[in-house]
Amino acid sequence: MTESDVGGPPPGLGLTDAEQGMWRAFRTGTTHDLRTDRPEQNDPNGPHTWGPERSVRARVIALLLLDGPPPLPGRVAALKLNGVQITGLLDLSGGTVTPYVEMQNCRFEQQLLLPESRFTTLRLVGCAIPRLEAARLHTEGDLHLPRCVVRRGIRLTDARIGTDLLLNQAVVRRDRRGVAIAADGLSVGQDLQAELTRAYGELSMRGATIGVSLSLRGSTLSNPFGRRALNAPQLTVERTLYLTPAADSGPLPAGATPPYGISATTPQRGTRMRRFTCEGGMRLDDGRFGDAVDLSGARLVMTGDQELSLRRVQTPELRFLGERPESGRVVLSGAKVVNLVDRWESWPGPGALGMAGFSYETLIPLGRFPLSRRLEWVAAATPEYAPEPYECLAAALRDSGEDTDARAVLLAKQRRRRETLPLAGKAWGYLQDWTVAYGYRPGRAALWMVMLWALGTAYFSQHPMPRMKPEEGPTWNAALYTLDLLLPVVDLGQSRAWRSSGTGQWLAGALVLIGWMLATTVTAGVSRLLRRQ
């Protein structure tokens, strides 16, 4: 019986001491640790050279993972490395890897090729990797890449991750196409955490599906080389997208366990918080989010031609609570939100906000957000008049029981509309506004009627009109005569019984005309209220 028959390496492989130790550790499922006693020499991204005593060939690792020896009795085979340099090209393309794989603080000499391969669970923690090619990768369990430094990008296009994908505290630089992380069509069964991550290039997640939540807390997405730092149209997240701050606890102690320094608990007082920062455009068009899109504390740094695009997004709650962008645009056209949680200081100014077709049901402002500011918010989104933003705001206020504010919004809508009308329409609009505020303040019409009634009564008391027919008709009553002139439909039998002439005739005609105009504007306003516009 040869050595290979009992689990030893095949003849002619010529294992080094480091590789022999790895072979034995694989069969027992223990960690092969080649770190030194000097911590500064254990940094895979540091300047120190790792010699043959800390190096293993990629060819030997591939042999262990794809066609490795059986475990020793009572053990489970697993590849666990710490502080090891992998020389050569590790190519597992299309392979099926059954053993558990965990590499910590390892240095890869060349890119790691995993396209169309299958793993149970793969953990690469704190490793230095030139590039990770993993298109259509399939894992039954987790894929962990926390604290890794990847110099030429990660490709996870159409990958299928069975449970969690962790990219916490990773540093990923762009590939030759300007993309740091290419994850179009990615599917993650549970959470995708990329907290305190730094990506220098585009993060592309077009059409990706996340089974629970997507967290980019405290991360920095920077793409000075292209139009967008986050490009994720048609993204589906079953729970919440977090673009919020995270506690930065600094360097982690050796041997830290998952989730690798990211804690869900409240940080201690004095802990440094790092905001989510996006330096470049962000595109989330047509996204579906089951619970919320949370932009609390987010910092958006855009140029004039870049956008935070939320076109046609659907989510129960949008928390727009970040820092006001100094340039660029925020576009919510066609988005549908149930709860809009916002504050005045977060929204951009005039010309930098688009809300055509944006609908929401409930407004939850944080901080002081008076109606005057809310109307400025709508005006900033409509450099050209559009009725929908005003009507949506009025509906939300009415549903919240703020009927007075809802009428004020609809009045503002009519005033904006008036500016688009020809001269005759503007004149008629100003008349409606001055008299009864387009019918949204009908009490003003009553005040005008009382004033005109009093003026008319005072004049006609001093200048009674002669009878139309001598000795016929009612007794002269200046108050009833004036009221009959003002009320266009009601007939009190006064105006037809007396003959007006001279100044009285002109005054009577003016009262009749004003009465009709007041009645028309009040009727138009009441009809609008009945239609609940």
Side-chain angles (χ1 to χ4, degrees):
M1 183 176 294
T2 65
E3 187 181 14
S4 60
D5 293 333
V6 294
L13 192 57
L15 297 184
T16 64
D17 291 342
E19 292 169 347
Q20 289 177 0
M22 178 179 66
W23 194 279
R24 290 190 296 269
F26 176 84
R27 298 193 64 198
T28 59
T30 57
T31 299
H32 186 47
D33 193 341
L34 296 181
R35 289 176 298 172
T36 69
D37 295 333
R38 302 178 65 180
E40 69 275 6
Q41 295 185 359
N42 293 323
D43 182 2
N45 295 290
H48 297 280
T49 301
W50 293 4
E53 72 282 358
R54 298 186 61 177
S55 301
V56 299
R57 288 172 289 172
R59 172 190 173 193
V60 179
I61 292 179
L63 180 60
L64 286 173
L65 295 180
L66 299 176
D67 192 20
L72 293 178
R75 299 298 186 102
V76 177
L79 181 67
K80 299 179 181 179
L81 304 178
N82 199 334
V84 176
Q85 177 172 257
I86 294 92
T87 61
L89 177 64
L90 180 54
D91 187 353
L92 301 174
S93 303
T96 298
V97 177
T98 303
Y100 171 87
V101 180
E102 180 175 295
M103 300 183 186
Q104 297 190 47
N105 308 306
C106 291
R107 178 184 289 177
F108 287 80
E109 186 180 71
Q110 297 185 34
Q111 64 179 327
L112 177 56
L113 299 181
L114 304 177
E116 302 191 31
S117 58
R118 300 179 69 90
F119 285 78
T120 50
T121 291
L122 174 61
R123 289 194 172 113
L124 304 175
V125 182
C127 296
I129 308 171
R131 177 171 172 79
L132 175 58
E133 278 279 358
R136 296 173 295 283
L137 167 72
H138 183 97
T139 68
E140 296 178 12
D142 296 343
L143 173 61
H144 290 185
L145 298 165
R147 303 202 306 275
C148 286
V149 175
V150 186
R151 296 192 300 274
R152 296 197 301 274
I154 297 174
R155 188 182 182 198
L156 289 168
T157 306
D158 297 317
R160 298 290 180 267
I161 309 303
T163 50
D164 296 331
L165 171 58
L166 298 187
L167 289 161
N168 297 333
Q169 296 175 299
V171 177
V172 187
R173 302 191 182 276
R174 64 187 180 115
D175 61 14
R176 61 178 179 270
R177 297 183 297 114
V179 178
I181 301 175
D184 298 341
L186 171 71
S187 175
V188 179
Q190 296 183 17
D191 291 315
L192 194 166
Q193 291 188 15
E195 303 185 357
L196 299 174
T197 297
R198 287 176 289 167
Y200 300 99
E202 183 179 288
L203 169 55
S204 182
M205 297 183 64
R206 294 177 295 181
T209 301
I210 311 301
V212 183
S213 293
L214 169 56
S215 177
L216 292 167
R217 293 185 179 100
S219 292
T220 298
L221 308 181
S222 178
N223 185 20
F225 318 102
R227 183 176 177 82
R228 300 182 182 92
L230 176 59
N231 186 20
Q234 299 180 341
L235 173 65
T236 299
V237 179
E238 294 297 327
R239 297 289 297 275
T240 301
L241 170 61
Y242 293 101
L243 305 174
T244 57
D248 188 355
S249 56
L252 299 175
T257 56
Y260 304 108
I262 306 301
S263 175
T265 61
T266 302
Q268 296 181 354
R269 186 174 182 179
T271 301
R272 177 175 176 266
M273 300 297 292
R274 209 166 85 190
R275 290 186 298 178
F276 169 80
T277 301
C278 184
E279 298 176 352
M282 187 188 308
R283 182 186 180 201
L284 295 171
D285 298 348
D286 301 294
R288 301 292 182 268
F289 305 92
D291 282 353
V293 176
D294 194 347
L295 285 153
S296 300
R299 179 171 176 260
L300 307 177
V301 182
M302 299 181 287
T303 60
D305 62 341
Q306 293 175 336
E307 295 179 341
L308 165 58
S309 180
L310 298 167
R311 292 175 172 88
R312 299 174 297 281
V313 161
Q314 294 186 22
T315 180
E317 186 164 292
L318 172 61
R319 302 168 194 158
F320 201 87
L321 301 167
E323 179 182 302
R324 173 177 290 169
E326 295 182 1
S327 59
R329 299 184 72 237
V330 175
V331 183
L332 288 157
S333 301
K336 297 184 182 300
V337 173
V338 178
N339 297 326
L340 176 59
V341 185
D342 65 345
R343 59 179 184 172
W344 164 249
E345 294 82 3
S346 297
W347 293 106
L353 178 61
M355 296 196 305
F358 174 44
S359 65
Y360 47 89
E361 297 179 14
T362 305
L363 286 171
I364 308 175
L366 294 187
R368 190 171 181 272
F369 206 150
L371 182 62
S372 59
R373 292 288 195 186
R374 190 65 77 176
L375 290 173
E376 291 178 18
W377 172 67
V378 174
T382 54
E384 295 183 359
Y385 168 72
E388 293 87 357
Y390 289 93
E391 292 169 358
C392 185
L393 175 57
L397 292 170
R398 188 184 302 113
D399 292 342
S400 299
E402 304 290 340
D403 290 338
T404 301
D405 286 348
R407 288 194 294 271
V409 171
L410 294 175
L411 175 58
K413 181 190 81 168
Q414 293 297 330
R415 288 170 173 168
R416 282 290 305 277
R417 176 179 175 272
R418 181 176 66 207
E419 302 305 316
T420 67
L421 300 177
L423 184 59
K426 287 182 179 179
W428 175 242
Y430 278 114
L431 179 61
Q432 293 187 81
D433 196 354
W434 290 337
T435 53
V436 291
Y438 288 95
Y440 294 113
R441 295 174 184 171
R444 190 182 292 180
L447 181 62
W448 278 104
M449 293 287 282
V450 170
M451 291 174 57
L452 292 171
W453 188 22
L455 290 173
T457 300
Y459 176 84
F460 288 120
S461 296
Q462 301 297 323
H463 304 84
M465 299 291 105
R467 294 180 183 275
M468 188 70 70
K469 296 180 180 180
E471 307 299 330
E472 292 186 15
T475 304
W476 171 252
N477 188 316
L480 287 178
Y481 180 73
T482 304
L483 188 61
D484 200 6
L485 294 173
L486 282 171
L487 297 178
V489 178
V490 179
D491 186 1
L492 300 179
Q494 292 286 328
S495 60
R496 293 182 291 103
W498 310 96
R499 180 185 297 111
S500 59
S501 61
T503 303
Q505 186 177 25
W506 284 101
L507 179 59
L511 290 174
V512 171
L513 180 61
I514 293 173
W516 273 105
M517 287 191 297
L518 287 173
T520 301
T521 54
V522 170
T523 301
V526 170
S527 66
R528 281 194 292 267
L529 291 175
L530 292 176
R531 291 198 302 269
R532 294 183 66 85
Q533 290 186 359

